[in-house]
Amino acid sequence: MNTRAPVLESAGSAKAPVLQVENLRVEFPTRRGTLVAVDDISFRIDPGEVLGVVGESGAGKSLTGAAIIGLLEPPGRIAGGRILFAGERIDTLGRQEMRRLRGRHIAMIFQDPLTSLNPLYTIAHQLIETIRTHLDMSERAARKHAIELLFEVGIPDAGKRVDEYPHQFSGGMRQRVVIALALAAHPRLIIADEPTTALDVSIQAQIITLLKRLCVEHGTSVMLITHDMGVIAETADRVAVMYAGRIAEIGAVQQVILGAMHPYTHGLMGSIPMIDRDMDHLVQIDGAMPRLTEIPPGCAFSPRCKEAMPTCFSERPDLARVGDAKVACWLFEGDEKTGRRSEEANAAGKGSDPDAARLEAEANSDIADRAKERASAGASDIDRKTDEIEGRTATMADGTDDILVQVSDLARDFDISPPLLNRIFEGGKRSVVQAVDRVDFSIRSGRTFSLVGESGCGKSTVARLIVGLYTPSGGRIEFEGRDLARIDGRGEIEGIRKRMQMIFQDPYASLNPRWRVEDIIAEPIRAGNLLQGRKAIDARIAELLVQVGLSPLDGRKFPHEFSGGQRQRISIARALASRPEFLICDEPTSALDVSVQAQILNLMKSLQKELGLTCLFISHDLAVVRHISDEVGVMYLGRLVEWSDAATIFDAPMHPYTRMLRDAIPDLKMTGQDRIPVAGEVPSPLNPPSGCHFHPRCPHVEERCRREIPQSTRRDGRLVACHAFEEGRLPPSKSSIPDDSIRNPE
Amino acid sequence: MLAFIIRRLFQSLLVMVAVGFIAFSLFNFVGDPVNNMVGIDATIEERQRMAESLGLNDPFPVQFARFAANAVRGDFGQSFRLSVPVEDAIAERLPATLELVFVAALLSLAIGVPLGVYTGLHRNSPLSRLLLTVSLIGISLPTFLIGILLILVFSVWLNWLPSFGRGETVDIGWQSNLVSLDGLRSIILPALTLCLFQLTLVMRLVRAEMLEVLRTDYIKFARARGLTNRAVHFGHALKNTLVPVITITGLQIGNLIAFAIITETVFQWPGMGLLFLQAIQFVDIPVMAAYLCLVAFIFVLINLVVDLLYYTIDPRLRIDKRVHGQ
Ligand SMILES: Nc1ncnc2c1ncn2[C@@H]1O[C@H](COP(=O)(O)OP(=O)(O)OP(=O)(O)O)[C@@H](O)[C@H]1O
Ligand code: SF4
Ligand code: SF4
Ligand SMILES: [Mg+2]
C-alpha cells in the first residue's frame, strides 16, 4: 500500500520548514466547561533540526505532539490554529489521509519501551507489518529491511533476534526496537515523547546518542519532548519551554539554557541540581503549575513569579521576539512601548535601513546584558554558597565516635527459583538473586549518606534491610553500636525502630486516600503513644505541618486535594512525627517535577540542619545525590563499588563504573564536549558476571578481574573495590579539570 | 510446560477424587440402597444377603476404592429407575446434551465476540448503547422464562419451530441433531435459550477487554505507525483480548452443561440434565453419582485445555524465559 498522501508531492523543497505549528489550541470539553490544554502555541521545525520541548508534567507537551500526529484522544480536539507539514496543512486531513501520513512521514516514539510493543507478536512481525503498510515491498524484502533496521539501531545478532518476542529483550533494547519501528518508512519528522525517561542513566545516554546519530544520517527532524533539561542540552538545536499549555520561551538551546530570559525558565534552570558543583540551596520557584481549571488570567506564571508586575495579572503576554529567541513575558515586551523598535520592525527594515541595524544591535546588546545580569546574579549566589560549604569536613569516617548506623558485610539473597516440579522436568535451575552482596558502610550522625546506582542494583533493598522490612541473610546492622539482630526485647527494638523513619518514592501510593491528613500524620504518634490528649496531638500536628511548609488548616483535608510535591511534604511530616533521628529516603523526589523537587530538596536540607537528622538517601539521580549528601556510596549489582565524600566522588570519580555513570550525565553547561560512550547494559542480576561484576563493560578489564572479586581498597579518603585501583593502574580522574586531555583512558 | 501439565493433572486428579467421594457418599447418606433394590416386603435375611452381595458390609475405604475403580472404568452400576446400566443410560443421553452445549457455545462466541468488538470500538454509538441495554435484560431474566417466551413467540404464535424434543435425529456414530433439517430446527430454540446468558457475558467481556487494550501503549504506538484500523483493531487489539475470553468461555462451557438442566426441562430435551432431574425425583442414586462425576470430569478437562491454549496464544508463558542483556 504505497498510496501517498498529497502532502508528499510538495515535500521536495529542502529548505522549507518540515513542520509549522501556528496558534495551535487544544481543548477538552468537559461537564464543567471547556479546558484549554494547549493554548495558542506556534513554532516550526526545520529539516534535520531537533526541537526540544520541555516543561513540567501537565504543561501540554504530549498533547501538542498528539495533536500534530493526529492522535488526540477524544474528547480532546484541535480548536484553533493550523499545523503544516512540509508546507501543507495536515490538521484538516481526513482520517485515512492522516493515517497514511503517520509512520510514513511523521513517526512517534513513546516513553515506556516495555509497553510500546505488542507482547504477542515477534519483532519481525511488527516491523514487517509496519514496513509493508507504507512501502511497496514483498514479505522477503521487508524482512531484509527489518533486519537492516535492527542492525542500524544497534541490536547485535539482528538476523536471529528479529524472530524473538518483545519480552525477550531488555528495556534499552526494546527502546531500540521502538526506534527501528519509527524509522521503518524513513519519516521526515519523529515526535519522541520522553523517549528516555523510563530508562537508566547509562541506557538513556546510549539511546540519546543513537537517536542523534540516526537523525543526522537520515536528515530526520525530531520534536523531542522531555522534562529533562540535560537531555535537551545534549540533543536539541532549539528548545521550547512550555508552561501551563503555553510556550514561555523558545530559542536556540545555548541561549535558553545559558541565558534564560523568562523568569520561569530562569527559575527552572536554577532549580536543577548540578553534578559538578556544590550548592547549598537550589533556586526555588514556590507553588506548582496551576491545574487547567484554574489557570489565572494574564500571565499563567504570575502567581509564582517573583518579578510580576500589575500588568502580569491582567494581561496575557504574547510570545515576542527578543534577540534570537522569543519570550512571552512583560519584562521583555516593554521595548516597543518605551519607544525602542521591536524585533519585527527591525527584521522588516533589515538591509534597507542602515539605522535599523544599529538599533537592532543596540536592542540585542540590551537583551544580552539583561540575560547576563541574571546569569551572573545566579552564579555569584552559587559562588558564595560554595565558599560556605568549603569549610565543612567532608572526609570519610575514620573515627568511630559519632557513627550512628554501621552496616557491615550486609547481604540479602532472594530465592526466585522456579518451583520444584519445573526444576525437575524442565531442567530449571535453582536461582538466587544476590540483591545485596556484602555491603559495608557507616553513616555518621547528622550527616547524609547516599546510595546511588542504576535500577536493580540493590539500593532500595539496603534501605529496607535497615528499617527491618526485610531480614538480612548475612552481615550486621548496628545502630548506635548495637547489633539490631541481637536486641531481644520487643519493646527495645521497637524503641529503636521508632527512631528510624522511611520516606517513599511515590507520594500517591504511600498516603491512605481515605484518611485526613491530620490522621495520617498523627498515626505514628498514636501508635507509639508518644503524646497524650487531643490537644497535645493537635498542637504537634500543626507544628509538623508548618515545619514542612504547609498550613495547619491543611490537616483537615484529604490527600487527593494536594499536588505531588505537597503530598511528599505530608509524607515527610508523618515521618517526622515520632521525632526520629534517622531518616531513610527512598527516591523521595523522583516522581516530582524539577521545580517541585527543588522545593523538597531545600526543605529536607533545612529540616536536617534544624533537627540534626541523620539521613540515608537513595536515588538514581547523581546530581540530586551530589546536592543532598555528605558521603556517597555507589552500588553495582548488589555490591558497593565506591564510597567517598560527595564532592570527591563526582569531581574525581575513581571506580570505572562511577566514571561511566558520571559521564552519562548530560552536560548542562553546554561545553560541547563529547562524552565517552557508555557501553553495554546492566547484566541480569540472576546471572551476574564472574569476578568483578563490572568487567564486561569495563575499559580497564584484565584477566584478574574475571576471576577475582575485587576487595575494597582505601586510599586518599575513599574506598574503591577495583583491581585496577588497587594496582594503581587507573588513570587519574579527568572530571576535576574541565578540559583535561586524559578524557579517554585508552 | 511439562511441569505445568503435571501439576495441573495432579490438581485435576485431586478434584476428581473429591467429587468421587461426594458422589460415593450419596449412596450412604441419601436413602438406603438396599431399600431401593428390594421390595418393601423383603425379609431381613433377603436384605442382608443383598447388602452382602452389594459389598455394603465391607469397611468404608474398601467400598470407596471399589466405587472409584468401577467409576474409572465407567461402571456406575444399575439405574434404580430404568434398570439398565447407568453408563448405557448416560451414553444414550450424553450426545443430546453435548450437541446442545456445543451449539450454544458456538453461538455465544460467534455472536458475542463480534458484538463485543463492535461495542468496544464504537463506545458511544446508539447501537452500542442499545445492545448493552438489551444484554442487561438478557442477563437478568431467568433462563426458564426466556425459554418459555421463545416457545411462545416462535412455536405458539409464529409456529416456525418445534417447541420440544429433539425432532428427527440421525445416527452418525451417535444420534445427532446436526445433520438433518428437522434436527437443526429443533435445536435452535433450546440452544438460543441456553446461550443467551453466555452470549451477553462474552460480549461484555470482549467489550471491556477491548476498551482496556485500546488504551495500552502498544495500540497507541501501532496507530502512530500508521497501521490501518483493521490491523490495529483485529490484528493487535483483538488477539490481546483473547486470553481472558478463552478462560471465561472455557469455564462457561462447564456452566452450560450445568445450566442445561433447566433448558432441557423447559424444552423436554432428552439430555443428561433431564436424566439427572428425573434421577433426583426418583432418588436414582447411581445416575446422580455418575452425572456428578461426569460433569466434574468435563469441567476439569476444559480447564486443562484452556490452560494449554494460553501457552499457544501468549509467548511470554512459553518456556523460553531468557532476557538478553547485551
Ligand atoms: N483526556 C483528557 N481530559 C482532560 N484533560 C486532559 C486529558 N488529557 C490530558 N489532559 C490535560 O492536559 C494537560 C496537558 O497534558 P499533557 O499530557 O500534554 O502534559 P505533558 O506536558 O505531556 O505532561 P507529562 O510531563 O506529565 O507527560 C494536563 O493538565 C492534563 O491533565
Ligand atoms: S509576564 Fe510578568 S508574571 Fe509572567 S513571567 Fe513575566 S514578569 Fe513574571
Ligand atoms: S576490577 Fe577490573 S573489571 Fe572491575 S572495575 Fe576494576 S578494572 Fe574494571
Ligand atoms: Mg507527557
Side-chain angles (χ1 to χ4, degrees), chain A residues 61-62 193-194 225:
Chain A
K61 313 179 294 284
S62 299
D193 192 352
E194 309 265 9
I225 298 172

Side-chain angles (χ1 to χ4, degrees), chain A residues 87-394:
Chain A
E88 280 190 41
R89 204 157 164 188
I90 57 169
D91 55 316
T92 47
L93 285 183
R95 286 238 305 268
Q96 276 306 311
E97 287 163 320
M98 198 60 213
R99 181 187 66 65
R100 281 195 209 109
L101 197 78
R102 281 201 291 271
R104 179 68 186 91
H105 300 296
I106 307 180
M108 188 142 184
I109 298 172
F110 294 97
Q111 169 171 348
D112 192 350
L114 298 186
T115 56
S116 286
L117 300 168
N118 190 335
L120 303 188
Y121 291 115
T122 59
I123 303 300
H125 179 107
Q126 304 189 41
L127 269 164
I128 293 171
E129 180 185 29
T130 311
I131 294 167
R132 296 195 63 195
T133 301
H134 297 296
L135 307 174
D136 192 14
M137 276 195 192
S138 70
E139 177 90 18
R140 274 182 71 113
R143 191 183 157 84
K144 201 164 148 271
H145 185 43
I147 295 172
E148 283 162 10
L149 279 166
L150 286 186
F151 181 76
E152 212 184 333
V153 297
I155 293 201
D157 219 357
K160 214 172 83 221
R161 305 215 53 192
V162 70
D163 288 313
E164 292 183 3
Y165 288 92
H167 70 274
Q168 293 168 295
F169 290 76
S170 67
M173 284 295 154
R174 276 192 236 187
Q175 195 64 311
R176 286 172 194 267
V177 173
V178 166
I179 293 176
L181 276 163
L183 286 174
H186 308 298
R188 295 192 56 198
L189 173 67
I190 295 181
I191 299 172
D193 192 352
E194 309 265 9
T196 59
T197 307
L199 304 171
D200 271 324
V201 261
S202 66
I203 311 302
Q204 176 174 332
Q206 293 174 14
I207 295 295
I208 286 289
T209 315
L210 171 73
L211 205 58
K212 245 163 70 179
R213 193 196 82 217
L214 290 173
C215 292
V216 170
E217 282 171 15
H218 294 255
T220 317
S221 308
V222 181
M223 175 171 162
L224 178 67
I225 298 172
T226 176
H227 65 273
D228 188 338
M229 270 292 182
V231 170
I232 295 280
E234 269 308 275
T235 323
D237 301 309
R238 284 190 307 129
V239 54
V241 181
M242 284 190 74
Y243 186 81
R246 307 165 185 189
I247 291 184
E249 179 163 1
I250 181 168
V253 67
Q254 292 261 353
Q255 158 77 38
V256 173
I257 287 187
L258 298 180
M261 286 185 274
H262 194 283
Y264 172 64
T265 323
H266 189 68
L268 197 63
M269 293 308 306
S271 64
I272 303 173
M274 293 286 180
I275 185 72
D276 49 11
R277 63 168 173 254
D278 285 324
M279 287 179 288
D280 199 25
H281 204 73
L282 298 169
V283 174
Q284 184 163 333
I285 314 175
D286 290 323
M289 198 172 70
R291 295 179 195 184
L292 287 186
T293 42
E294 5 190 274
I295 294 181
C299 172
F301 187 57
S302 55
R304 302 172 76 188
C305 183
K306 290 205 178 83
E307 312 191 38
M309 309 167 282
T311 351
C312 304
F313 296 99
S314 53
E315 275 176 73
R316 175 175 168 178
D318 282 326
L319 204 57
R321 184 168 284 282
V322 182
D324 294 333
K326 285 186 182 174
V327 182
C329 170
W330 289 122
L331 283 181
F332 294 88
E333 256 208 3
D335 307 62
E336 206 169 21
K337 285 181 193 152
T338 52
R340 237 176 272 150
R341 300 186 60 172
S342 76
E343 275 304 302
E344 243 72 46
N346 276 328
K350 214 176 244 174
S352 59
D353 182 359
D355 251 12
R358 191 178 46 76
L359 278 176
E360 186 187 10
E362 212 169 86
N364 278 347
S365 75
D366 181 53
I367 292 146
D369 282 351
R370 223 179 282 181
K372 230 180 274 162
E373 220 171 87
R374 286 161 161 279
S376 70
S380 69
D381 235 23
I382 291 155
D383 286 347
R384 186 167 45 71
K385 263 135 201 173
T386 316
D387 290 344
E388 270 173 28
I389 300 162
E390 220 57 337
R392 76 181 180 198
T393 48

